[in-house]
Amino acid sequence: MISIGLDIGSVAAKGVLIQGGRQYQMMVPTGWSPRTAGEQLIDDLLQSSGHRPHDVHSIVVTGYGRVAVMEASRTVTEIKCHARGVAELYPQIRTIIDIGGQDSKVIQIDSQGRVVDFAMNDKCAAGTGRFLQVMANALGLDVSELAAYEDPEQAATINSMCTVFAESEIIGLLAQGVDKGSIIAGLHLSVGKRVAAMAKRLGIAGEVAFTGGVAMNQGVKRSLEQELGCKVLVPEVCQFTGALGAALIGLDAAA
Ligand code: ADP
């Protein structure tokens, strides 16, 4: 049984192929064509695992670009896929925070990994990966470098909620000579506060799992822990959690 899960996101397209106990992962930029990104991922996964297209039993696709992938056996929401992925990685977890490129979500799940409730911010870039990408750019850094520069002891106050105004505010702080590490700590705190407020409104139970590309940023993880007052677990495959869940949903359906 070979199952492929694809998560065609706003920034990155992620794919997981599961065969027996083996897993293969691939990621490509989504670019302008979610369809091409999906085709590329399927080709790459087949090549790295040494399989041919007719060996594959199921291709479950999630993410904003899911409807564009013609090879899909089925499409499933990101919420269900993250829930299934986290249930596999951390069976004890009941609350998930997912921060991707263009939205942030809080998902409550039951002991079977079924979605009980969720909240989502997809209206405003603040509190998303895109916000951090724009701010990293203003600081002359790549988003992957932010956490290494952070100075948690000296967090600058970032007042603006709007991405455009926050970018101007940062340019102003740099001009005043404020240290980059302080600005970055302030940015991480502003993302953490915003997403934690959404999680608190929905209600959290026990420890929290943090998924999506932004979970690679230790500074955001720290600020979520500070704001939520609980431990935040980040899977090694945080950016692949949705794709993993999609591949597992394909396997579940065949069982
Ligand atoms: P989407 O599914 O919308 O494409 P992802 O879950 O793939 O989103 O996350 C993309 C976001 O992850 C980017 O906007 C960026 O902020 C963040 N990101 C990507 N790579 C890194 C990294 N190496 N370190 C920290 N953050 C990262």
Side-chain angles (χ1 to χ4, degrees), residues 113-151:
R114 285 180 300 234
V115 177
V116 176
D117 203 355
F118 71 93
M120 182 160 160
N121 160 38
D122 59 354
K123 300 279 183 290
C124 168
T128 70
R130 181 80 194 127
F131 173 85
L132 290 171
Q133 282 183 269
V134 171
M135 300 311 148
N137 194 40
L139 291 162
L141 297 171
D142 184 80
V143 75
S144 60
E145 298 176 291
L146 289 176
Y149 277 82
E150 186 197 53
D151 178 0

Side-chain angles (χ1 to χ4, degrees), residues 8 11 13 20 24-25 38 57 81 92 104 124 168 170 213 234-235:
I8 313 293
V11 175
Y24 301 84
Q25 295 167 359
H57 297 87
C81 290
Q92 80 281 15
S104 43
C124 168
S168 308
I170 279 164
V234 177

Side-chain angles (χ1 to χ4, degrees), residues 4 7 21 29-30 40 44 64 74 90 116 139 142 160 185 210 231 241:
I4 289 181
D7 175 4
T30 302
Q40 178 76 54
D44 290 353
Y64 103 102
R74 196 178 150 194
Y90 301 120
V116 176
L139 291 162
D142 184 80
S160 311
F210 182 18
K231 197 166 174 198
T241 314

